[in-house]
Amino acid sequence: KMMFVFDDLNNCDDRGIQSLLKEVPREALSIALASASPVVREKVLKNMSSGAAAALKEDIDAAGAVRPADAAEAQESILEIARRLEKEGKLLRQKEL
């Protein structure tokens, strides 16, 4: 089975990303996205309401530089949720779409 890394979120279906966002704490999301690729950040933001996306962007900007260890921990916590949702069929990666 292929490994699931944070950048793979870009290859997930929008409905799956929306399901993921319902379960991820906003603080973890802002820390994880602070060091994420622009493509993944944009994928997440486009699956939020404009108000929530604006608030998240503010959180990311306010956080400033995030320690790599903190970002990795936040990303891994999000990936644990993503893997569970994938097993439940609520999140699909591109290979499955």
Side-chain angles (χ1 to χ4, degrees):
K1 184 160 182 159
M2 286 181 51
M3 196 174 186
F4 199 159
V5 295
F6 201 72
D7 281 347
D8 289 339
L9 293 178
N10 187 53
N11 299 323
C12 294
D13 68 311
D14 288 342
R15 186 169 286 152
I17 294 293
Q18 292 162 14
S19 294
L20 178 67
L21 292 173
K22 290 177 186 173
E23 297 193 31
V24 174
R26 190 164 126 187
E27 182 180 352
L29 190 59
S30 64
I31 292 169
L33 290 179
S35 65
S37 71
V39 175
V40 171
R41 187 182 298 186
E42 199 52 42
K43 173 78 169 191
V44 170
L45 292 172
K46 82 172 191 147
N47 278 287
M48 303 176 86
S49 69
S50 57
L56 183 60
K57 285 180 190 177
E58 284 182 24
D59 289 350
I60 293 168
D61 292 342
V66 173
R67 290 184 349 176
D70 292 341
E73 184 179 322
Q75 289 178 358
E76 185 55 38
S77 71
I78 292 168
L79 286 174
E80 286 176 17
I81 297 168
R83 289 181 192 109
R84 179 178 51 77
L85 291 173
E86 184 181 36
K87 283 180 186 172
E88 294 172 0
K90 296 178 182 175
L91 183 138
L92 302 174
R93 283 194 270 175
Q94 192 65 36
K95 66 180 177 61
E96 302 167 0
L97 295 176

